[in-house]
Amino acid sequence: MKSRKLKLLALILSLMMIFSILSACTTGKTDDEADLTKKTEATGDTSEDALSNMTGRGVLPIVESPVTLTIGHSRLPTITDWDDNHFTHWLEEKTGLNFEFELWSSAEVVQKIQLLIASDSVLPDIIFNSLNKKDVDTYGMDGYFLPVDDYIEKYGYHLEIEAAKVGDAYDILTGGGSFYQWLLDISKAPDGKSYVYGHLHQDPTTSYARQWYINQKWLDTLGLDKPKTTDEFYNVLKAFKNNDPNQNGKPDEIPLVGSPTGWYTQVEIAVLSAFTYIPFPVRSMILNEKDEVDAFFIKEEYKEGLRYLNTLCKEDLLSPLSFTQDNAQLKAMLDIPAEQDTLVGVFGGHPTVVLTAGNEKIMEYEALPPLTGPDGVCWSQYVVPVPRFDTFITKYCKTPEIAFRFLDFLKSEEASMTGRFGREGTDWWYVEDGNSLIKDLGFEGFYDIKLGALTNTNIVWGNQNGVFLPSRIMGGRVSGVDENEAVQHATNIHYGGFLTRYGKTPKIATSLDLRLTFEESDEIKEIEATINSYVEEARSRFIVGELDLDRDWDKYLKDLQSMGLERYLQIYQDCYSRTK
Amino acid sequence: MDMKKKYRAEKRMKFLVSVKNRWQLFLFLLIPVAYILIFNYYPMFGVQIAFKDFSSSKGIWGSPWVGLKHFKVFFKSFQFTRVLRNTVMISLYSLASGFPLAIIFALLINSVRSLKYKKLVQTVTYLPHFISTVVIVGMLIQVLNPVNGLYGSVYSLLNQGNLPKDILGKPSAFIHLYVWSGTWQGLGWSTIIYIAVLSSVDPQLHESAQIDGANRFQRVIHIDFPVLIPTASIMLILNSGRIMSVGFEKVYLMQNNLNLIYSEVLSTYIYKVGMTAGERNFSYSSAIGLFNSIINCILLVLVNGISGRLKSDGTSLW
């Protein structure tokens, strides 16, 4: 009896072993097979039949008899039913297409796609919002995603029209050239083909989001003017510190404060911009007189800016908390009940992020325009927008032309507005002769939205799926008047401040133009990560006086050299010469 | 030679017989073994990316081998000495503060006569252990905020409204804050094992010591403390195996640009280069992680060996 059981056990164990070995073999085999199929499978164009079903360029509906496209997307909490979704119905009606959805958990959508590709499973026709550009390009060059260049030439329509309407809002990126062409250029993978059809979603104010606000009430109490230069700024802060502007008899004023981790709350950057230009994100580079890529953090002007900040810090004008506290603590300082004494003179950050919308304390503050430094420098950091390159057509799509026509239609104004705001007439509507909040930049206000419309579920597909929302549209909402005075004031100073910063940027090489090859990016990643974190760390330490500008500056430069600064600049210079 | 072979065969036979007789127990053993194989051994295949240039499109097996490239980059990197120094400093300091304190505290609790009071102290000191790290760091930052924290309020009350200096921005304060808040949190919990050992001390020993005229302090030193030594040395061995792995969350949450010089440790550095840098560098991260594990392993073996050799009946893990 016992021996039989033992045999059974042995049998089970040996079977398990055999299976594990077998499965190991099969995985090895599928890899080879995958390679084979990849080579033999031509990236199929749509059959003649399907092509004749398609209407002409820019015409709606896109197809005469219904065609089904499968769409891969991450699950979103706001969408309960993708099939019975307003945007789905609207698109189906407009284009004549049918959509089927394959939904993945949003936390693991990237791994999911990578697994599907690795196991050679069939992917949906179009995938939205997932991989980053480098991954898309890599898979594209491996043949998993289709290049769209030919389709752009043959069928592209809406993006070109919409791109022509953006005016000069993106001249700083395009160097004054065609925005459409620029967008197509930066979509290209290292092999010169585009596997994505780039799109953009940008609120105009985020391009100059490095904002700060000054306590106008304190200025009035002390009889001072808004500071225009760094010298005046110093005097104002000094007065804030010493002359008890909140009139409570206690030396509890904090003249200047920010936070290192909040949303554009880093006040030191705003001050430094009066000395030298600080690019953002850090991958963007400044250019020197010879039109060569340069690093701002080794310049004498930068050092002088740090010296100025160090003075502010030494005299307790700039709170050292600006380098340690998080956004919640900055908010705790500012977002206080009206009856408490105001503590802060100048703060960095968005007025409704560091204060709760509607808090009356905001009424004391006004926007502070960028300061002019001792050498007449007066820049404001331009935040390079990030076009989204995350929508692509996979090689399993039987009708790539139709899929492309669909992606192109998403870029049209009507599809973009419907995709972003919801139902026309209910959630948003066109307005004639409206004033937009950025009318000074030449953009008309042409629509208004119902407040809270975006919290409605099942109306859109998330808020930025392949649609094209440049500053013309995002800033084109007509300015209304909010019933709450404090909310209205916050909006006013936010846009007012934005207009004082707008355009104060030198010619730079943006992170979008500096497109590294894969080899370059492999080489640079360790150097870049080390340098960037070191520069940021040293900046804080120089300002609070942990490092001495006279004693430690040379060591700082030497450290940067030993981290490979020269090679770092060389790589970016090569890159810049190539794309210029 | 023949004898040896025979002996071995006999031994194997004995083993097989015992397996046959107690096969149910061995069947139970399969479950933990499978668990360890699947969750601890199988993932070790991934360690190979430390020697490869990993790219997600090629997968773990398909990525090209690059030998020790990532290790070399790390050893030459600017951060190497700093990260290593901080990691070792923080660990040793934590060990030096937490380890003896736990023993002293256990001896103290054990000498308390009132049972109710003893239980109360134990419960109160265990409690912080159950607070999550994020909350602990949040509390620390809140309390020490010089403007709206407890520290700031009390200071400005006593100093005519003047605000104090920011402790969290002081780089040299980081390690003390880290270690002592950790000790506060973990002290009660780490005494549990010692108190359990102390409860096994034969009361007759105490009685006879009392008859011989030993006072309470002498009894603690000469009876309770020697009982703890074997357990304490095992704990020390286990702890030294963790010297290089300073907990990630707490350091990361307490970091800021000012204290980075003392607060960047291996695990946070791995996270930064591996996950958050513009170009994610998994291979480099794995290489550093592997390096870390190897050092830990060496330390464990070393301390274990020393401990085993110090006394003839010295304690050792194996």
Side-chain angles (χ1 to χ4, degrees):
Chain A
M1 206 41 200
K2 262 179 188 162
S3 73
R4 200 184 294 161
K5 274 177 188 164
L6 196 69
K7 270 182 197 159
L8 193 71
L9 181 69
L11 188 72
I12 293 171
L13 279 176
S14 43
L15 276 179
M16 271 167 70
M17 278 167 78
I18 290 167
F19 275 128
S20 59
I21 291 165
L22 274 181
S23 63
C25 289
T26 36
T27 23
K29 211 161 134 199
T30 30
D31 274 352
D32 295 345
E33 274 171 2
D35 270 349
L36 270 180
T37 39
K38 216 189 314 174
K39 277 169 201 141
T40 48
E41 195 171 327
T43 46
D45 279 342
T46 315
S47 66
E48 288 298 316
D49 271 0
L51 268 186
S52 65
N53 182 22
M54 197 166 75
T55 56
R57 184 190 275 235
V59 177
L60 286 177
I62 293 171
V63 286
E64 271 150 12
S65 59
V67 172
T68 301
L69 289 178
T70 48
I71 287 175
H73 205 291
S74 52
R75 254 182 222 107
L76 295 170
T78 48
I79 303 175
T80 46
D81 186 351
W82 286 77
D83 297 317
D84 190 23
N85 175 295
H86 173 259
F87 195 48
T88 311
H89 290 315
W90 186 85
L91 284 172
E92 284 178 342
E93 195 182 305
K94 285 274 174 187
T95 61
L97 298 164
N98 283 326
F99 300 105
E100 274 173 17
F101 296 94
E102 195 169 314
L103 300 173
W104 303 305
S105 144
S106 56
E108 48 203 41
V109 61
V110 174
Q111 283 126 297
K112 182 77 192 171
I113 295 170
Q114 287 173 347
L115 275 177
L116 285 174
I117 291 174
S119 62
D120 221 29
S121 314
V122 174
L123 297 164
D125 295 334
I126 301 174
I127 297 177
F128 280 98
N129 266 3
S130 49
L131 304 179
N132 64 30
K133 178 147 193 304
K134 192 180 173 194
D135 288 343
V136 176
D137 288 349
T138 316
Y139 284 128
M141 296 195 303
D142 286 346
Y144 289 102
F145 307 147
L146 300 182
V148 292
D149 308 78
D150 290 348
Y151 307 140
I152 293 176
E153 209 167 289
K154 271 193 235 161
Y155 309 106
Y157 180 76
H158 291 288
L159 182 60
E160 191 169 2
I161 293 178
E162 292 303 320
K165 293 189 206 161
V166 300
D168 55 6
Y170 297 100
D171 274 4
I172 181 166
L173 296 174
T174 62
S178 147
F179 179 69
Y180 178 62
Q181 199 51 50
W182 174 82
L183 196 57
L184 294 188
D185 282 346
I186 61 165
S187 308
K188 285 191 171 41
D191 67 350
K193 291 182 192 158
S194 314
Y195 299 96
V196 286
Y197 197 35
H199 54 104
L200 191 73
H201 175 277
Q202 195 211 13
D203 188 282
T205 54
T206 53
S207 60
Y208 287 92
R210 185 73 63 193
Q211 50 203 299
W212 53 355
Y213 301 90
I214 190 163
N215 197 316
Q216 186 66 43
K217 197 176 154 199
W218 286 11
L219 287 175
D220 295 343
T221 311
L222 302 174
L224 295 164
D225 286 331
K226 238 191 229 180
K228 288 190 188 66
T229 65
T230 43
D231 289 342
E232 289 173 24
F233 188 57
Y234 171 81
N235 292 332
V236 165
L237 294 181
K238 198 86 190 157
F240 279 177
K241 179 79 197 165
N242 298 332
N243 301 351
D244 192 26
N246 66 3
Q247 295 173 308
N248 65 354
K250 279 190 260 174
D252 56 355
E253 287 85 358
I254 304 168
L256 173 63
V257 69
S259 152
T261 52
W263 198 77
Y264 299 105
T265 49
Q266 298 78 1
V267 280
E268 71 275 15
I269 302 291
V271 174
L272 282 170
S273 297
F275 293 85
T276 184
Y277 183 74
I278 315 278
F280 187 87
V282 276
R283 278 219 146 169
S284 302
M285 300 293 252
I286 59 168
L287 300 167
N288 63 14
E289 316 77 49
K290 285 180 272 172
D291 199 31
E292 285 167 352
V293 166
D294 206 351
F296 71 89
F297 47 79
I298 49 171
K299 286 187 147 333
E300 268 313 296
E301 295 91 328
Y302 178 67
K303 186 180 169 188
E304 287 318 302
L306 292 180
R307 198 184 294 283
Y308 175 79
L309 281 163
N310 178 239
T311 317
L312 295 188
C313 216
K314 252 192 295 197
E315 303 189 17
D316 237 354
L317 305 178
L318 167 62
S319 167
L321 283 174
S322 310
F323 306 99
T324 55
Q325 67 181 354
D326 61 11
N327 197 52
Q329 288 174 292
L330 178 64
K331 195 169 174 173
M333 270 181 202
L334 289 157
D335 198 26
I336 47 180
E339 67 273 12
Q340 271 184 32
D341 298 327
T342 310
L343 295 176
V344 176
V346 178
F347 71 87
H350 191 291
T352 55
V353 174
V354 290
L355 281 101
T356 308
N359 187 327
E360 280 175 28
K361 280 284 176 201
I362 197 67
M363 302 295 288
E364 293 182 10
Y365 292 90
E366 289 288 343
L368 180 60
L371 301 172
T372 308
D375 299 330
V377 173
C378 176
W379 300 124
S380 185
Q381 195 172 52
Y382 177 70
V383 181
V384 178
V386 187
R388 299 183 66 105
F389 296 112
D390 50 8
T391 308
F392 42 87
I393 305 171
T394 69
K395 71 168 178 178
Y396 300 97
C397 181
K398 295 278 183 299
T399 55
E401 286 88 348
I402 294 172
F404 175 81
R405 286 277 309 274
F406 163 62
L407 288 183
D408 186 55
F409 172 63
L410 282 178
K411 312 286 185 280
S412 69
E413 184 180 301
E414 56 173 339
S416 298
M417 299 282 288
T418 311
R420 176 71 170 82
F421 300 118
R423 296 158 295 194
E424 185 184 349
T426 324
D427 299 315
W428 64 275
W429 51 90
Y430 283 110
V431 174
E432 279 181 30
D433 308 325
N435 271 333
S436 82
L437 286 161
I438 54 162
K439 62 174 185 297
D440 293 6
L441 304 183
F443 291 126
E444 297 292 318
F446 64 97
Y447 70 95
D448 201 359
I449 59 172
K450 192 178 88 186
L451 279 176
L454 289 176
T455 53
N456 284 348
T457 53
N458 254 7
I459 288 180
V460 295
W461 293 354
N463 61 16
Q464 33 191 310
N465 283 301
V467 294
F468 184 67
L469 296 159
S471 55
R472 179 186 78 85
I473 294 184
M474 290 314 291
R477 189 183 152 198
V478 292
S479 52
V481 178
D482 201 284
E483 281 172 22
N484 186 320
E485 212 184 345
V487 173
Q488 186 57 43
H489 184 72
T491 311
N492 290 347
I493 61 175
H494 179 231
Y495 277 91
F498 162 67
L499 290 172
T500 64
R501 296 186 297 272
Y502 185 81
K504 290 209 162 76
T505 311
K507 182 172 183 260
I508 49 168
T510 69
S511 47
L512 295 170
D513 285 323
L514 296 171
R515 293 194 298 284
L516 301 163
T517 63
F518 287 174
E519 291 78 37
E520 285 171 340
S521 105
D522 268 346
E523 187 186 342
I524 211 171
K525 55 189 171 190
E526 205 268 332
I527 307 179
E528 188 168 41
T530 316
I531 288 184
N532 285 342
S533 63
Y534 181 71
V535 167
E536 236 182 80
E537 183 194 331
R539 181 191 305 149
S540 312
R541 298 181 68 209
F542 275 127
I543 294 173
V544 298
E546 279 283 327
L547 291 177
D548 187 279
L549 275 164
D550 296 315
R551 197 185 59 220
D552 298 315
W553 181 257
D554 290 337
K555 166 134 191 333
Y556 164 77
L557 294 181
K558 227 171 75 194
D559 281 346
L560 285 170
Q561 286 303 339
S562 72
M563 290 173 194
L565 178 66
E566 207 172 315
R567 182 69 194 137
Y568 168 80
L569 286 175
Q570 184 59 44
I571 290 177
Y572 274 122
Q573 177 59 39
D574 291 350
C575 201
Y576 180 62
S577 334
R578 203 165 54 226
T579 43
K580 198 157 50 169
Chain B
M1 218 43 190
D2 239 19
M3 280 298 285
K4 224 176 190 176
K5 245 186 206 165
K6 210 175 156 194
Y7 173 71
R8 269 192 195 156
E10 227 167 64
K11 212 177 173 187
R12 199 177 304 138
M13 205 49 218
K14 254 190 192 162
F15 176 69
L16 283 178
V17 169
S18 73
V19 169
K20 203 175 153 189
N21 290 340
R22 306 189 187 86
W23 64 271
Q24 295 96 332
L25 291 179
F26 281 88
L27 202 62
F28 276 124
L29 193 63
L30 268 184
I31 300 167
V33 166
Y35 169 82
I36 297 216
L37 284 180
I38 293 171
F39 292 103
N40 293 2
Y41 277 80
Y42 176 65
M44 278 195 225
F45 282 115
V47 163
Q48 58 174 296
I49 68 169
F51 306 97
K52 288 181 160 189
D53 260 340
F54 176 71
S55 100
S56 52
S57 60
K58 291 187 196 124
I60 291 178
W61 292 105
S63 303
W65 292 95
V66 291
L68 293 175
K69 175 180 143 186
H70 300 295
F71 292 90
K72 283 182 194 148
V73 172
F74 177 54
F75 295 147
K76 272 191 225 144
S77 91
F78 176 78
Q79 294 277 9
F80 177 67
T81 40
R82 177 198 278 193
V83 166
L84 208 61
R85 181 198 67 204
N86 290 343
T87 311
V88 173
M89 283 274 288
I90 291 176
S91 289
L92 288 181
Y93 189 8
S94 304
L95 200 62
S97 76
F99 182 69
L101 269 182
I103 296 178
I104 294 169
F105 196 58
L107 289 171
L108 285 177
I109 289 182
N110 193 53
S111 327
V112 171
R113 273 186 233 176
S114 152
L115 196 69
K116 260 191 189 164
Y117 182 65
K118 188 172 160 182
K119 289 276 174 228
L120 180 77
V121 171
Q122 273 181 284
T123 314
V124 169
T125 50
Y126 290 172
L127 272 182
H129 173 79
F130 298 102
I131 306 175
S132 88
T133 318
V134 181
V135 178
I136 291 277
V137 176
M139 281 162 58
L140 201 65
I141 291 175
Q142 283 296 330
V143 168
L144 292 179
N145 187 299
V147 179
N148 37 43
L150 181 68
Y151 163 65
S153 313
V154 171
Y155 185 97
S156 67
L157 207 68
L158 299 177
N159 293 282
Q160 295 91 38
N162 275 309
L163 295 174
K165 287 257 175 284
D166 181 20
I167 297 183
L168 293 166
K170 209 168 149 32
S172 49
F174 167 80
I175 190 167
H176 304 294
L177 287 174
Y178 177 87
V179 168
W180 290 106
S181 63
T183 306
W184 168 76
Q185 193 188 1
L187 187 61
W189 190 254
S190 45
T191 56
I192 290 183
I193 190 161
Y194 299 121
I195 288 175
V197 172
L198 285 173
S199 68
S200 69
V201 174
D202 190 348
Q204 287 181 8
L205 284 174
H206 280 284
E207 280 160 18
S208 51
Q210 259 170 317
I211 292 167
D212 289 347
N215 63 23
R216 284 170 67 84
F217 183 69
Q218 282 169 328
R219 269 157 45 208
V220 167
I221 293 295
H222 296 289
I223 300 176
D224 290 340
F225 187 62
V227 173
L228 282 184
I229 286 179
T231 316
S233 45
I234 288 281
M235 293 306 286
L236 188 66
I237 295 168
L238 288 176
N239 280 331
S240 55
R242 262 181 264 134
I243 280 189
M244 296 285 283
S245 32
V246 174
F248 166 77
E249 304 106 320
K250 197 168 163 196
V251 178
Y252 187 70
L253 290 166
M254 287 177 69
Q255 268 178 357
N256 57 49
N257 271 333
L258 293 178
N259 67 23
L260 215 50
I261 180 166
Y262 291 120
S263 65
E264 190 82 295
V265 295
L266 271 164
S267 51
T268 54
Y269 182 61
I270 291 172
Y271 172 71
K272 283 178 190 164
V273 291
M275 309 289 168
T276 59
E279 290 292 332
R280 279 166 290 167
N281 201 341
F282 295 122
S283 287
Y284 186 56
S285 284
S286 315
I288 306 172
L290 187 60
F291 165 75
N292 188 4
S293 309
I294 291 172
I295 301 242
N296 270 338
C297 194
I298 293 175
L299 281 174
L300 183 71
V301 175
L302 217 66
V303 176
N304 191 42
I306 293 171
S307 156
R309 227 162 272 176
L310 276 183
K311 275 201 291 177
S312 52
D313 60 337
T315 12
S316 159
L317 283 180
W318 49 80

